[in-house]
Amino acid sequence: MEYLQMLDIHKVYESNNVVALKGAKLEVKRGTVHALVGENGAGKSTLMKILCGLEAMNKGKIFINGHIVRIRNPQDAFRFGIGMVHQHFSLAEDFTAAQNIVLGNEPHKGPFVFKKRILEIAENLYLDSGLRVPLDVPVKALSIGEKQKVEILRILYRGGDILILDEPTSVLTEQEIAELFENIRTLKKKGKTIIFITHKLNEVMSISDEVTVLRQGETVFENKVQNTTKEELAYHMVGERFSFHFQRKKLQRGKILLEVQNLSVMDTTIYKVKDVSFQVHEGEVVGLAGVAGNGQLQLVEAVVGLRKASSGKVFLCGKDITTLTPKQRRETGLGYIPEDRLGVGSSLDSTIAENIVVDRYHVNPFSKWGLLSKRTIESHAAELISRFNVKGKVRSLVRFLSGGNIQKVILARELSADPSVVVVCEPTWGLDIRSSLAVYNFIEDLKERKKGVFLVSCNLDELLHLADRILVIFRGSIYANLSNDGSLTKAHICEYMTGTRCDFREVKSNVV
């Protein structure tokens, strides 16, 4: 008998009349890793939010151990041992990892909290689970992978038996993914049940015991992983035979578009970026690889104007933009697709149309004589919604879109602005196979149109697919500048990412 059953689940969002789930079902055995897959907007996250008490279903039944249960809120879910690690973490950044683990349920007597006991509890949890993380360090100083571990430890602290991981590998490096999978196997041995939401079919085959496929709100396929193939899963996800075939176009490098000279960035009292120099030419995709926390974020923010550089220069199309505001840099021809799509890349309480024209609403044809042309704005948005296959309408609030569809809205805005250079961070985070291929083709289109792309990604396969050159950053410095000539491997890149290899002659000879 299945440990968890969700049967005939229906969900309609009344605010925009979107049907998210149409009789979906999910059956999960105890002590297994169960993959839940589907395209963006298929209903995966909605189904799991219902299980966690974050959304109310319109119809359906949930059973645990054969008994029907009512889950009306997250507290109910916790009582049944259910917890979810979302794509976007909900941690108190200034608190330590240990404090975050017990937050809301601290060991105390009256008004007095036992600080020593907090650390003891956290230590016992991470030793038992294998989820090792610095416990007395503020969360804001941790890598993405370490923050994810803190979220999992929070669930375990509250007695979690069913752990839902929503796109857990989206922004993890190869090393962090391997470590996460080892942690999942350890939790499984201890009797925990893992529901693993992902678009990456290689991961489904690697870590999962069983798989369920959702398409357009319905369950269309269930099977043991050992009895299926990636091709079969891809077919059920999209409803047709689909092959991920991508061929990078030959590099035809033109003039320099983006040039960073001896850039350094200080965060409080520590240099996060140290004397970095590189160039991006016309028709070139330059990638940046590195373990999270090695200065990628600070480097990108200094280039796009969200952070002040301590020293150095940034040039765009020959113009010094070092002291320009983000708005002025955009007007000069710099596009930006940020990693943080909720906090930086979009306005959740605005419509899709408003998000698409947020940087150009004041110019013709969207505005004339100080008056907005709503018809023109919505027509433009509708065209991009169709072109980028966004599951939503021009007046839909971005808040109600899936993570992947929010990413598509950001891509639509940035890539339709005709920038000279686009700084692209984790462009396929949370995107399904077909959407990822579309993004790759859009980036190739930029390259063919003699634009420059600076691509920051933790996905080494993505960098090898797209980048003509790959810079590797380690502790704020560029350790290598590697030509992606077909012989470059992930293992080679990882040697530089972990600091086990550094050849400054290679760096100097490749920066042109």
Side-chain angles (χ1 to χ4, degrees):
M1 182 180 68
E2 277 70 18
Y3 174 39
L4 166 69
Q5 292 177 299
M6 301 182 73
L7 304 178
D8 194 31
I9 308 297
H10 293 255
K11 175 64 180 178
V12 179
Y13 288 101
E14 295 179 1
S15 60
N16 53 8
N17 203 34
V18 170
V19 179
L21 295 170
K22 299 178 283 188
K25 73 168 184 173
L26 175 68
E27 299 183 304
V28 180
K29 293 181 174 63
R30 181 189 288 274
T32 62
V33 179
H34 194 109
L36 182 61
V37 302
E39 287 193 284
N40 297 126
K44 306 180 300 297
S45 294
T46 300
L47 187 64
M48 291 299 94
K49 286 178 180 178
I50 288 171
L51 182 59
C52 290
L54 295 170
E55 298 277 5
M57 59 185 172
N58 298 103
K59 178 186 174 185
K61 294 180 180 179
I62 301 175
F63 296 84
I64 295 179
N65 281 330
H67 300 288
I68 193 166
V69 298
R70 291 186 65 194
I71 301 177
R72 296 155 297 188
N73 51 53
Q75 289 70 34
D76 286 344
F78 276 131
R79 284 197 299 109
F80 295 114
I82 301 167
M84 183 171 180
V85 178
H86 299 270
Q87 291 183 46
H88 302 279
F89 306 140
S90 56
L91 299 170
E93 292 281 311
D94 291 322
F95 285 20
T96 67
Q99 289 168 334
N100 269 279
I101 290 167
V102 303
L103 191 62
N105 195 20
E106 299 90 344
H108 67 280
K109 185 174 183 179
F112 301 103
V113 175
F114 300 119
K115 293 183 179 179
K116 185 177 179 181
R117 179 63 182 145
I118 289 174
L119 197 56
E120 289 175 356
I121 289 171
E123 286 175 347
N124 289 335
L125 277 171
Y126 90 70
L127 287 172
D128 185 57
S129 65
L131 292 157
R132 298 183 180 275
V133 63
L135 295 173
D136 56 352
V137 173
V139 160
K140 63 185 176 184
L142 301 182
S143 70
I144 296 291
E146 289 170 332
K147 290 179 181 180
Q148 188 178 73
K149 292 178 187 178
V150 174
E151 288 275 21
I152 296 173
L153 287 167
R154 287 177 65 179
I155 295 172
L156 296 177
Y157 173 62
R158 287 159 175 77
D161 282 319
I162 300 174
L163 283 73
I164 304 163
L165 306 181
D166 191 3
E167 298 287 352
T169 65
S170 291
V171 289
L172 299 186
T173 62
E174 298 287 325
Q175 299 94 323
E176 288 174 321
I177 291 172
E179 190 174 347
L180 173 65
F181 280 12
E182 190 58 39
N183 294 147
I184 288 174
R185 294 185 182 103
T186 299
L187 293 169
K188 176 183 166 182
K189 287 177 183 177
K190 293 182 177 296
K192 303 298 182 183
T193 302
I194 315 293
I195 300 176
F196 189 85
I197 305 174
T198 185
H199 293 112
K200 300 178 182 179
L201 299 186
N202 286 334
E203 295 178 358
V204 173
M205 308 306 292
S206 172
I207 195 67
S208 307
D209 301 299
E210 297 187 343
V211 58
T212 295
V213 180
L214 292 185
R215 187 172 72 242
Q216 296 180 0
E218 299 179 275
T219 300
V220 296
F221 182 76
E222 302 168 283
N223 207 346
K224 291 183 177 179
V225 168
Q226 64 185 27
N227 295 335
T228 190
T229 64
K230 288 190 294 182
E231 292 73 21
E232 187 176 17
L233 290 177
Y235 167 73
H236 288 292
M237 285 172 66
V238 302
E240 61 186 19
R241 295 297 171 191
F242 181 81
S243 174
F244 189 105
H245 178 71
F246 177 80
Q247 184 65 46
R248 178 163 48 96
K249 291 182 174 66
K250 186 177 179 180
L251 172 64
Q252 293 184 337
R253 181 186 291 168
K255 66 182 181 182
I256 296 172
L257 294 178
L258 175 68
E259 183 169 15
V260 174
Q261 294 182 354
N262 307 113
L263 194 71
S264 294
V265 181
M266 181 174 282
D267 190 355
T268 60
T269 59
I270 301 171
Y271 276 102
K272 292 292 188 178
V273 178
K274 307 170 188 174
D275 198 30
V276 165
S277 297
F278 66 90
Q279 298 151 352
V280 180
H281 295 69
E282 283 182 339
E284 183 180 38
V285 178
V286 176
L288 181 69
V291 176
N294 275 275
Q296 299 96 312
L297 176 62
Q298 291 81 5
L299 174 59
V300 166
E301 289 184 344
V303 170
V304 301
L306 294 176
R307 183 184 294 263
K308 185 177 180 181
S310 304
S311 59
K313 297 280 188 180
V314 180
F315 295 88
L316 182 65
C317 300
K319 179 179 180 179
D320 187 349
I321 63 169
T322 311
T323 60
L324 297 187
T325 65
K327 180 175 182 291
Q328 291 169 328
R329 296 186 197 209
R330 292 180 71 85
E331 291 170 348
T332 306
L334 185 64
Y336 178 40
I337 298 169
E339 175 184 327
D340 183 359
R341 59 192 178 205
L342 300 187
V344 178
S346 63
S347 171
L348 298 181
D349 291 316
S350 299
T351 66
I352 292 178
E354 289 166 343
N355 271 272
I356 284 176
V357 300
V358 68
D359 62 335
R360 65 200 79 158
Y361 67 89
H362 56 288
V363 299
N364 192 45
F366 306 116
S367 177
K368 293 181 180 179
W369 303 294
L371 298 175
L372 294 178
S373 175
K374 191 171 183 179
R375 179 179 296 178
T376 304
I377 289 171
E378 292 191 348
S379 175
H380 175 68
E383 179 186 341
L384 292 178
I385 286 171
S386 174
R387 181 182 166 197
F388 284 79
N389 194 29
V390 180
K391 288 184 171 66
K393 300 177 181 179
V394 292
R395 298 183 186 180
S396 299
L397 293 183
V398 167
R399 178 176 298 283
F400 296 113
L401 301 182
S402 69
N405 279 298
I406 294 174
Q407 185 77 332
K408 291 180 190 177
V409 171
I410 297 168
L411 286 162
R413 179 185 65 229
E414 298 301 317
L415 298 185
S416 65
D418 196 32
S420 299
V421 175
V422 188
V423 178
V424 184
C425 301
E426 310 297 345
T428 59
W429 177 17
L431 296 190
D432 54 55
I433 303 170
R434 186 155 48 182
S435 298
S436 295
L437 182 57
V439 170
Y440 288 7
N441 287 327
F442 281 124
I443 290 175
E444 281 295 289
D445 180 60
L446 287 170
K447 178 178 173 179
E448 200 166 34
R449 291 193 287 122
K450 294 293 184 181
K451 310 297 183 181
V453 179
F454 183 48
L455 173 65
V456 183
S457 178
C458 64
N459 185 336
L460 295 186
D461 287 318
E462 184 163 271
L463 290 174
L464 289 170
H465 274 312
L466 292 169
D468 301 297
R469 290 186 292 127
I470 298 176
L471 308 176
V472 183
I473 191 169
F474 179 71
R475 294 180 179 171
S477 297
I478 300 298
Y479 258 40
N481 188 345
L482 309 170
S483 176
N484 188 12
D485 56 6
S487 63
L488 189 59
T489 65
K490 290 194 286 186
H492 187 197
I493 298 170
C494 284
E495 288 181 351
Y496 291 101
M497 287 172 60
T498 55
T500 57
R501 180 173 179 175
C502 176
D503 187 345
F504 287 104
R505 291 172 299 175
E506 189 169 31
V507 175
K508 291 176 181 178
S509 67
N510 279 294
V511 176
V512 294

